Amino acid sequence: MKAHVKNFDVVVIGAGFAGLYALQRLRSQGLSVIVFEAGSDVGGTWFFNRYPGARCDVESIDYSYSFSDELQQDWDWTEKYATQEEILRYINHVADRFDLRRDIRCSTRVTSAVLDEEQMLWTVRTDRDDEVTGRFCVMATGALSTANMPHIPGRDAFSGELYHTGHWPAAGVDFTGKRVGIIGTGSSGIQLVPVAAQTARELFVFQRTANYSVPAGNTVITPERRAEVKATYTERRRQSRNSGGGSPHQAHPKNTLEISAAERRAAFEKRWDLGGVLFGKTFPDQTTDMRANDEARAFFEEKVRGVIEDPAVADVLIPTDHPIGTKRICTDTNYFQTYNRGNVHAVDLRSAPIESIDERGITTTAQHYDLDMIVFATGFDAMTGALNRIDIRGRAGRPLKDAWQAGPRTYLGLGVDGYPNLFIVTGPGSPSVLANMVLGAEQHVDWIGDLLNHMAEHGFSTVEAEPQAVADWVAECNERAAATMFPQANSWYLGANIPGKPRVFMPFIGGFGVYGAICADVAASGYKGFTLVGSTA
């Protein structure tokens, strides 16, 4: 079915947090906007990742829109770390409250976005034969939206149930009385394992790489706490925007070894009780000084060994191959304790890798596991995967895939040379997955919205990142990453989980507040590093 309007000011791809806000903000500027969404409803990552146990690892009061104070005051989060269901309810509430659905086409996957250089228009086509043009194209495709399904020999021969956490059935899955194999112990696996273990007859957890995970310490948000947050939201958001990770929590003012052992332990305990990913930022030098990292790692190991009964199992589950915090620390609810159950077995793929899958189950180099169900909790082709699935062609018809063959190249994570009037939201070259993605999306969309206003006021029709600005920004991102221990980990930040993907550290690691100041400075200077042209300028 053809879209009822063919020409738009802006075409937005994706209707998750970023795409919805792009629609709300740009439409409020008087621009005509259409949004295409592959899912059958809005929500993006939170629409597809509905596996049991799925939660956000940023506190719900922070992982939410700040653009409307009325929305902040009216919405009541129930838990410190919201479930997928609650986040999806919130997203749907926002879509309805701001009347966004009328400009969104769901169940519609964009297949191509091609630049017409003469008219300076983007032609966007979909798998439902839509063909629309837009003066501007906004890629709100998400950093974690393309599921990674490993190619294991015989995978399609399995006769039992087979799932991926990133494409969970809406009707749910019943583990009761079944022999279940879960492949992967990243965030989704670590969240799913404790839930599946409760009803599965036997649960085999196939682990290639152990991950650091800190208990969520999840709690119900009391009416008193809710009132306190709502009364101080303005200041909380200010602190979040100036922080390293987009939430108001600041690292200890001193470096790890500048204080006494007792003070250091107290700081670690405080962060451990806060829960989750922020443990990796207890001290400012935790990912730049190995001695500091060793202190955090020793504290973590002590905590984990304290809850696992079998020391040999603990040996398998405690990471030894990367510094703590250089992969995203997971956030769990009784994950390590789950291995004390008699029906749960950790399968170490380092010592005995998976060889194949057959109709009955999984074969490693050590033995065969008979299974009724296999769940791939194997993550995503992060940050560039969704963009690479779209045939994006810029000047001279050059595919973005070709331009990024050696790794993604952007200016500020927002623009790409050779692709005028195309913007990427929370993509490579921005803080993205290292920060609060909702505030990150707002910051990007607001910046884009201000730029489009600037262009309209000054008669510009085209904006394009300059090649030198892109080269300089890529170099700066690489230099900042190299000054840390992050590149030592084979993480999805580097694309290391995808065979053949260039090994490039993709996010900007300098901090959310620092990045926001850089973007603001670029705007204040008249958008240095971008070429602005127009017939009436």
Side-chain angles (χ1 to χ4, degrees):
M1 189 176 98
K2 294 277 184 186
H4 67 281
V5 179
K6 194 169 182 180
N7 306 303
F8 297 87
D9 293 317
V10 187
V11 180
V12 176
I13 302 173
F17 271 108
L20 290 184
Y21 182 53
L23 172 56
Q24 194 279 335
R25 164 72 199 243
L26 299 177
R27 199 171 70 180
S28 74
Q29 294 180 200
L31 298 168
S32 60
V33 185
I34 188 170
V35 180
F36 291 114
E37 167 55 46
S40 60
D41 205 346
V42 300
T45 293
W46 298 106
F47 175 80
F48 288 107
N49 287 266
R50 50 181 76 218
Y51 59 87
R55 286 182 190 272
C56 188
D57 61 0
V58 176
E59 288 181 82
S60 52
I61 53 179
D62 299 312
Y63 193 81
S64 54
Y65 289 120
S66 67
F67 71 86
S68 166
D69 190 52
E70 284 187 358
L71 174 63
Q72 289 187 145
Q73 296 301 322
D74 290 349
W75 182 265
D76 292 333
W77 292 104
T78 65
E79 292 182 89
K80 180 179 171 185
Y81 294 103
T83 61
Q84 174 268 337
E85 296 93 334
E86 186 170 16
I87 294 169
L88 195 57
R89 279 200 304 276
Y90 172 76
I91 293 171
N92 276 279
H93 170 76
V94 171
D96 293 333
R97 183 182 186 120
F98 296 95
D99 189 23
L100 301 179
R101 294 183 192 277
R102 61 185 164 92
D103 292 317
I104 302 171
R105 306 287 180 271
C106 290
S107 302
T108 308
R109 184 175 292 280
V110 169
T111 54
S112 66
V114 179
L115 177 70
D116 179 335
E117 284 189 72
E118 283 187 22
Q119 298 186 71
M120 202 47 70
L121 289 174
W122 284 93
T123 298
V124 176
R125 295 181 176 89
T126 78
D127 62 355
R128 299 183 68 174
D129 293 328
D130 297 290
E131 184 176 307
V132 302
T133 61
R135 292 193 299 126
F136 301 95
C137 199
V138 175
M139 296 293 177
T141 45
L144 300 174
S145 55
T146 303
N148 171 39
M149 192 65 138
H151 297 290
I152 299 173
R155 186 188 73 196
D156 298 334
F158 183 60
S159 61
E161 301 171 64
L162 192 146
Y163 306 102
H164 191 290
T165 50
H167 290 286
W168 203 255
V173 172
D174 185 7
F175 303 101
T176 306
K178 295 171 184 173
R179 295 165 301 180
V180 179
I182 296 177
I183 301 174
T185 53
S187 183
S188 52
I190 281 172
Q191 290 180 333
L192 176 61
V193 162
V195 181
Q198 292 172 21
T199 55
R201 177 174 140 201
E202 280 196 286
L203 177 62
F204 297 92
V205 184
F206 294 87
Q207 174 189 274
R208 183 178 62 180
T209 307
N211 268 304
Y212 293 101
S213 187
V214 173
N218 199 33
T219 55
V220 170
I221 297 176
T222 63
E224 295 76 20
R225 172 64 174 152
R226 191 175 295 120
E228 176 196 344
V229 169
K230 289 184 178 184
T232 57
Y233 244 138
T234 301
E235 175 60 16
R236 188 177 185 94
R237 298 297 197 181
R238 186 194 68 77
Q239 291 179 11
S240 296
R241 289 191 182 90
N242 291 331
S243 72
S247 70
H249 305 287
Q250 302 292 331
H252 194 282
K254 293 185 178 180
N255 285 336
T256 307
L257 299 173
E258 290 177 355
I259 58 177
S260 70
E263 288 177 288
R264 188 160 54 246
R265 183 169 188 90
F268 282 138
E269 289 283 4
K270 184 178 178 184
R271 274 299 168 99
W272 191 268
D273 291 342
L274 179 64
V277 66
L278 287 167
F279 181 77
K281 298 177 180 178
T282 308
F283 291 96
D285 61 342
Q286 224 162 284
T287 52
T288 56
D289 182 333
M290 186 56 84
R291 294 174 307 157
N293 197 275
D294 285 343
E295 292 289 328
R297 193 190 175 285
F299 181 91
F300 167 87
E301 182 165 348
E302 178 191 326
K303 287 287 190 184
V304 172
R305 288 194 182 278
V307 298
I308 299 177
E309 293 167 3
D310 185 342
V313 173
D315 289 343
V316 170
L317 298 177
I318 292 171
T320 57
D321 65 342
H322 64 281
I324 188 167
T326 55
K327 289 185 178 183
R328 191 176 183 90
I329 293 176
C330 299
T331 303
D332 73 84
T333 302
N334 296 322
Y335 171 68
F336 292 110
Q337 294 89 328
T338 298
Y339 289 90
N340 296 330
R341 298 176 63 106
N343 66 329
V344 179
H345 316 281
V347 181
D348 182 10
L349 299 182
R350 287 284 173 97
S351 59
I354 292 176
E355 281 190 331
S356 62
I357 295 175
D358 59 27
E359 62 178 15
R360 295 186 299 111
I362 294 174
T363 301
T364 69
T365 55
Q367 69 178 91
H368 184 275
Y369 297 86
D370 284 341
L371 301 169
D372 303 306
M373 180 192 301
I374 298 174
V375 178
F376 285 84
T378 44
F380 303 90
D381 184 354
M383 302 194 73
T384 56
L387 292 168
N388 286 338
R389 288 174 67 173
I390 302 169
D391 183 13
I392 301 169
R393 294 177 182 261
R395 291 193 184 277
R398 189 183 191 197
L400 184 66
K401 259 190 194 177
D402 289 359
W404 285 7
Q405 201 165 9
R409 296 173 55 80
T410 71
Y411 178 40
L412 304 178
L414 283 157
V416 185
D417 57 315
Y419 298 82
N421 293 359
L422 177 84
F423 302 104
I424 301 169
V425 180
T426 63
S430 76
S432 187
V433 290
L434 296 180
N436 178 346
M437 290 290 281
V438 182
L439 289 194
E442 284 187 322
Q443 186 261 338
H444 266 184
V445 170
D446 285 339
W447 191 94
I448 294 165
D450 289 345
L451 170 58
L452 299 194
N453 276 338
H454 174 84
M455 292 175 69
E457 288 165 11
H458 294 84
F460 296 121
S461 58
T462 305
V463 59
E464 183 176 357
E466 297 168 359
Q468 190 58 51
V470 172
D472 291 346
W473 185 249
V474 170
E476 179 167 350
C477 288
N478 287 339
E479 285 167 16
R480 286 178 180 268
T484 74
M485 294 183 285
F486 275 80
Q488 295 181 29
N490 284 316
S491 69
W492 53 260
Y493 297 147
L494 289 136
N497 61 322
I498 305 297
K501 191 167 180 174
R503 190 184 172 94
V504 176
F505 193 82
M506 292 181 281
F508 172 83
I509 206 167
F512 189 62
V514 170
Y515 173 81
I518 292 170
C519 290
D521 178 61
V522 168
S525 70
Y527 298 94
K528 63 185 176 187
F530 289 92
T531 298
L532 292 149
V533 298
S535 55
T536 59

